[in-house]
Amino acid sequence: MGDSPVRRRPWAGGAATAFSVAALAAAAGALPAHADSSRTSFTVTASARTLVAPAADGAGGFSDLLVSFAADDGSSALAGVKVAVDGRQLARLAELRLPAPCTFTDAEHLQAICAPGDFAGGGGHLTLGVRAAQGAPAGATGTVLFTVTATNATVNRASGRDVTEVRVGEGPQLSVAQLPVLTRTKPGATVTLATGLTNQGDREAHGVLLWFRIPEGYAPAAAFGDFGNCRYPDRAAGLVLCRFDDAVVRPGEVLRLSVPVALAAGDDPRDGRFEYGADLAGGPTERGLTAAQGAGRPGTGAPLTLTAGQAGGFGSESASTYLETGRPYALSAVAGDVAGVQGATVPATFALRNDGDAPAALHGGRPADGDPAGLLLSFPSGVRIAGAPADCAQRPAEPTVYLCARTRTLAPGEFQAYTFQVLLADPLDRAPGRASVEGQALAGAALFTVTSGAAPAPTTVRSYTAAPGPALRAVAPAAEESGPEPSAPPAAAVTAAAPAPSPTSQASLGTGLAETGAGTSGLSLAATGGLAVGLGLGLIGMAARRHWAGNRG
């Protein structure tokens, strides 16, 4: 993974800080105690899904099977890393290929142990191969489980993903060439990325869409052209859509772009994530991307074309690489756990914090190009947002993902806080959520959990009203008394409502989680897997959800 871009600055509280820890605590409730930080925690992120092409002779090409591991503070070394691979659900469906540090532990070659060793700079990754077994039917699925350990760290089980679904392609199933997890660049430099696509289904694909998401601070280099069959964003960064209406991709055929993708970094770019993917032209993916990003301007030059390429390194409908410039981040997310009674609405406060040594300024009321626009919040399923701050907007087609704009200059150590009203609709036990700085993937993120317990059972108290007289007797016993009841008016049952929960959502000042790996981030980036995460990964999620919903014609 290389050296982390994170630069931590201890928060120096005091009267000089306009938005203090005390102010944040007052808005959100008492700050929770930190967990014991004497031992590093790390997060495991496996690809959400991997496609393999059907192969009647069992000799098809291998797809990538990626698992990454990253220290949650973004920089701590991981020592003695071991990865146990359990692919027993792939029996008669797929075969595994192991890299050098791995050894099979069973006769069927579906279980293995890998000992990649030590990783400095925050973490690393391991790439295995997987291909369809002879006679595996199209559409069949199985899973691979990764169990990662380190001698000096514990696994953070509140986030990440340790299972990858392997699916034998059916219908036309386009997937793209995977990219390096990390690509280093520097201001003013141009990087060239090897992209391509293949059909891992069992039918021809007619008409191809390729999309490229370019992060802030970067732009397509002149070498990438101004192609007539592509549409470009109104400014340098954003979404590029290229259609190849006449392209026919046969099962197993591999195609590359006639001109490699080249990205030019600006004079002062931040780190960012480049993403791209493939699908059938004119389908729901193209409509969704166009609706989310706008049609863009058409290119004016000759069309971009596809040429024959070499097999290998495929397995997903999208791929990404993290562009690292070495520029330290200044902003980080602040989040705390949320808890309450199921059915209650509780406040949950999150914040954007300036950890840098210089002000995070606004220019003309908005962040400068290349600077993060705000705070990205992903709430777990089972909660509903009953009220959102004025500066926060729901992401299209993602009901529990909100982007909160940064609307003022933040001096070093200052916060901008956002308080949501969260309805705890379903019973949850530490369901994971994520707060991150928009546009940042490997730094400045923070995890939080949501817990909603059942409301306590109502208490029934028997009460009696005594008849008037000199010997008044009013009884409200905790336990029913024996003997005859008074002959006054009949007993009335009074039900006491359950006490309303006190707000328990806090914003803590913990170290954030570093996300890594390709696919969604899970979230899913994620858990996007293909969670994915991170990609501003909501757009990739649209593409992925469609493919795994069933057959396509």
Side-chain angles (χ1 to χ4, degrees):
M1 295 295 292
D3 294 336
S4 168
V6 181
R7 179 176 63 184
R8 297 290 177 193
R9 177 181 182 269
W11 184 82
T17 303
F19 195 92
S20 65
V21 175
L24 185 59
L31 295 175
H34 289 300
D36 179 12
S37 60
S38 60
R39 190 168 171 83
T40 300
S41 65
F42 69 98
T43 297
V44 176
T45 306
S47 302
R49 303 176 182 88
T50 292
L51 277 167
V52 293
D57 58 1
F62 284 91
S63 297
D64 282 354
L65 198 58
L66 176 72
V67 58
S68 61
F69 26 89
D72 288 350
D73 63 8
S75 58
S76 293
L78 300 179
V81 174
K82 291 186 178 180
V83 181
V85 182
D86 185 352
R88 285 175 289 180
Q89 288 198 19
L90 300 182
R92 297 178 297 280
L93 185 152
E95 303 171 354
L96 296 178
R97 181 180 65 184
L98 302 181
C102 302
T103 304
F104 285 114
T105 59
D106 67 328
E108 291 77 21
H109 286 190
L110 293 174
Q111 299 179 76
I113 188 71
C114 306
D118 301 339
F119 291 86
H125 68 278
L126 190 69
T127 303
L128 290 76
V130 60
R131 70 179 179 185
Q134 182 175 358
T141 62
T143 58
V144 179
L145 170 66
F146 298 95
T147 303
V148 184
T149 59
T151 58
N152 69 331
T154 57
V155 175
N156 180 352
R157 301 191 183 280
S159 183
R161 180 179 51 252
D162 57 8
V163 173
T164 296
E165 180 185 271
V166 177
R167 182 183 180 96
V168 182
E170 62 177 335
Q173 287 278 9
L174 297 179
S175 66
V176 297
Q178 299 302 294
L179 296 171
V181 173
L182 181 68
T183 299
R184 289 189 173 89
T185 184
K186 58 184 180 181
T190 297
V191 296
T192 300
L193 302 168
T195 59
L197 65 102
T198 189
N199 182 358
Q200 293 187 296
D202 59 355
R203 276 176 281 170
E204 290 183 343
H206 292 264
V208 171
L209 168 76
L210 277 171
W211 57 267
F212 309 89
R213 188 174 178 85
I214 300 171
E216 292 286 345
Y218 299 82
F224 192 47
D226 187 22
F227 301 109
N229 58 333
C230 299
R231 303 188 73 89
Y232 297 86
D234 294 330
R235 53 196 183 114
L239 195 68
V240 177
L241 300 178
C242 297
R243 285 185 57 147
F244 305 84
D245 293 327
D246 297 331
V248 177
V249 189
R250 298 182 296 274
E253 185 177 13
V254 177
L255 299 175
R256 302 279 180 178
L257 293 176
S258 56
V259 177
V261 175
L263 297 181
D267 293 335
D268 192 19
R270 290 190 178 271
D271 294 5
R273 187 180 292 276
F274 166 80
E275 307 150 338
Y276 85 112
D279 199 0
L280 300 179
T285 298
E286 182 174 2
R287 293 195 295 270
L289 293 173
T290 301
Q293 295 290 325
R297 61 173 180 84
T300 58
L304 183 64
T305 59
L306 300 171
T307 61
Q310 295 181 345
F314 296 92
S316 179
E317 295 145 329
S318 62
S320 67
T321 186
Y322 187 74
L323 303 172
E324 183 185 80
T325 64
R327 172 176 171 172
Y329 284 119
L331 296 177
S332 64
V334 178
D337 293 344
V338 180
V341 174
Q342 182 186 349
T345 298
V346 298
T349 299
F350 307 89
L352 199 60
R353 181 181 64 200
N354 182 2
D355 285 341
D357 298 320
L362 296 180
H363 303 274
R366 62 178 298 273
D369 288 345
D371 285 346
L375 185 68
L376 192 64
L377 293 168
S378 179
F379 294 92
S381 176
V383 305
R384 300 174 190 166
I385 305 304
D391 296 327
C392 301
Q394 179 184 326
R395 296 280 286 237
E398 296 178 285
T400 56
V401 179
Y402 281 76
L403 178 61
C404 297
R406 178 163 65 92
T407 58
R408 62 187 180 87
T409 295
L410 298 178
E414 272 196 312
F415 299 83
Q416 180 166 352
Y418 312 89
T419 299
F420 286 77
Q421 297 300 319
V422 177
L423 172 61
L424 305 176
D426 297 334
L428 299 172
D429 182 12
R430 295 183 59 79
R434 188 172 187 270
S436 61
V437 182
E438 191 269 340
Q440 296 182 188
L442 290 180
L447 297 178
F448 63 94
T449 63
V450 180
T451 300
S452 55
T459 303
T460 299
V461 179
R462 301 199 65 172
S463 66
Y464 304 96
T465 302
L472 291 177
R473 184 183 178 203
V475 183
E480 187 173 345
E481 296 180 349
S482 60
E485 295 184 353
S487 59
V494 179
T495 300
S502 59
T504 55
S505 168
Q506 300 93 13
S508 67
L509 302 181
T511 304
L513 163 75
E515 178 194 4
T516 185
T520 60
S521 4
L523 98 324
S524 280
L525 188 95
T528 36
L531 218 199
V533 127
L535 153 20
L537 296 181
L539 296 177
I540 284 188
M542 297 178 195
R545 285 192 290 271
R546 180 169 95 79
H547 285 293
W548 302 100
N551 297 351
R552 295 182 300 169

